Amino acid sequence: MTRLTRTVRGGGCAAKLPPADLDRALCGLEIPVDDDLLVGLQHPDDAGVYRVTDSLAIVQTVDFFPPMVDDPFDFGRIAAANALSDIYAMGGTPRTAMNLVMFPSKGMDFSILRRVLEGGLSVLREAGVVLVGGHSIDDPELKYGLSVTGFIHPERILKKRSLSPGEVLILTKPLGTGIVTTAARGGLVSPDLMRVVVEGMATLNRNAAHVIRELPVGACTDVTGFGFLGHLAEMVVGSGSSVVISASAVPAYPGVEEWGAMGLLPAGLHSNRAFRGCMVDFDPAVPLPLQDLLFDPQTSGGLLFSLPGEQAGDALRLLHEAGVRTAAVVGMVASRDGERITVTL
Ligand code: CO
Ligand code: CO
């Protein structure tokens, strides 16, 4: 059987372009302005939002990457759950999707592509999303993902940069998918744990999003390639607030700290730390492997959102009732200014 992760050049997980390089590429480009563009590149968020009428806007996002797991069906499911996630993170409802396929027609059997697409479709079906088309190119390395369009009310957009003092932060999925998939390449992960992590990545953020929509949420994003602290940093920058995180309260897959201590860290973790580490003050009591975990790039990670502290109990109860049993309060928004992240044990 083809081991999909062995076909990925460099053996690493899908690294995003470094943000500084992307900024350089975009800098000075004249991006057209439009009164109906409610969320665009001027204030980038999880997805773009464009107003159609006073009561309807469309939310648009796109994501694709090479395989991080060996089973093609699982890879398709994970890629689809990941692509839909940014719509949920904006408070939207995904409606239509288009496949993006890069496939090595000479190096791989087409039955593998079929399984990838079946996996993607199974998650779209679960989410109530219609596949309307797609595009494929012959490429030396398999990559799959989707562009997704959702609906949202123009006044009910959940942005990531709207933290307020007195709020707590809740994360809905465990961290560690980057470290686990790195350790799995070395054959160190038991099939049982791998199953748990694959199911975690293939789980839609839909149930969590449905709960969140009914709560007085301040800010919301999803945790993906920049890691927990990278995405938290995006929430903090420009918010005028600082946050305090309790590292031991952050949900994580079992074994990740041990593998981290062995140096089984994905390359993206180091670039995440290099990019945002300057915003973070670690209490020396937080062990290095736990610090690293907070920068681990996530595939199809959970939602990270803020809401008033007195609502935290209700939020957790509703999330647990909706099947989001891994959700936990991970920190709070402090009143002092400075836009810093403090991590205590
Ligand atoms: Co996002
Ligand atoms: Co995104």
Side-chain angles (χ1 to χ4, degrees):
M1 171 185 153
T2 313
R3 287 197 57 188
L4 286 189
T5 56
R6 289 278 160 82
T7 66
V8 178
R9 274 169 299 177
C13 51
K16 294 194 183 194
L17 271 182
D21 292 349
L22 198 54
D23 280 350
R24 214 175 303 145
L26 289 170
C27 177
L29 283 187
E30 225 175 278
I31 310 228
V33 284
D34 186 316
D35 286 344
D36 289 313
L37 182 61
L38 304 180
V39 180
L41 284 174
Q42 271 79 12
H43 301 281
D45 213 293
D46 289 297
V49 182
Y50 190 85
R51 181 170 49 212
V52 182
T53 69
D54 285 344
S55 60
L56 176 70
I58 52 171
V59 199
Q60 293 180 287
T61 183
V62 57
D63 212 341
F64 61 95
F65 41 49
M68 75 300 298
V69 294
D70 284 315
D71 184 272
F73 186 78
D74 285 337
F75 171 49
R77 293 165 68 215
I78 292 165
N82 180 76
L84 293 170
S85 179
D86 279 325
I87 305 282
Y88 294 123
M90 297 301 286
T93 303
R95 295 303 291 267
T96 63
M98 304 185 88
N99 279 332
L100 294 163
V101 175
M102 280 126 268
F103 190 76
S105 68
K106 284 177 192 69
M108 215 177 253
D109 196 283
F110 269 94
S111 63
I112 293 176
L113 178 57
R114 186 180 168 82
R115 286 299 282 163
V116 171
L117 297 176
E118 278 176 350
L121 262 178
S122 74
V123 166
L124 292 185
R125 217 174 288 126
E126 184 190 346
V129 173
V130 182
L131 184 70
V132 297
H135 184 68
S136 59
I137 57 169
D138 203 336
D139 191 86
E141 187 177 85
L142 170 64
K143 298 177 200 78
Y144 171 63
L146 301 107
S147 90
V148 187
T149 300
F151 291 172
I152 195 169
H153 191 287
E155 274 138 39
R156 305 209 59 194
I157 302 168
L158 294 181
K159 297 193 181 166
K160 62 172 131 188
R161 266 167 261 268
S162 39
L163 297 171
S164 304
E167 289 180 332
V168 295
L169 290 154
I170 292 179
L171 175 65
T172 64
K173 283 189 191 181
L175 297 184
T177 68
I179 292 171
V180 169
T181 51
T182 301
R185 285 167 215 270
L188 296 174
V189 181
S190 73
D192 282 355
L193 176 58
M194 202 57 211
R195 198 29 48 205
V196 170
V197 176
V198 164
E199 290 310 316
M201 291 190 285
T203 297
L204 287 166
N205 280 327
R206 178 188 53 173
N207 289 3
H210 283 175
V211 170
I212 288 169
R213 225 174 276 171
E214 306 305 320
L215 295 167
V217 166
C220 181
T221 191
D222 60 337
V223 176
T224 53
F226 296 131
F228 172 77
L229 288 177
H231 289 280
L232 180 62
E234 291 186 341
M235 299 173 101
V236 168
V237 169
S239 72
S241 299
S242 287
V243 299
V244 181
I245 296 300
S246 169
S248 51
V250 177
Y253 290 111
V256 285
E257 280 181 67
E258 287 78 2
W259 289 316
M262 290 163 66
L264 291 163
L265 304 173
L269 188 153
H270 298 289
S271 44
N272 286 345
R273 189 164 187 148
F275 180 49
R276 291 299 192 183
C278 55
M279 282 180 65
V280 184
D281 303 307
F282 283 106
D283 186 309
V286 183
L288 187 59
L290 189 49
Q291 297 183 21
D292 283 335
L293 174 64
L294 301 179
F295 284 109
D296 183 43
Q298 301 301 287
T299 299
S300 189
L303 297 180
L304 174 60
F305 66 96
S306 71
L307 87 174
E310 59 273 18
Q311 306 275 340
D314 277 348
L316 285 183
R317 183 178 51 78
L318 291 168
L319 284 166
H320 293 182
E321 281 171 13
V324 189
R325 276 174 277 274
T326 49
V329 173
V330 297
M332 54 170 289
V333 184
S335 53
R336 75 187 166 84
D337 198 355
E339 302 190 346
R340 302 285 304 167
I341 298 172
T342 304
V343 181
T344 66
L345 192 61

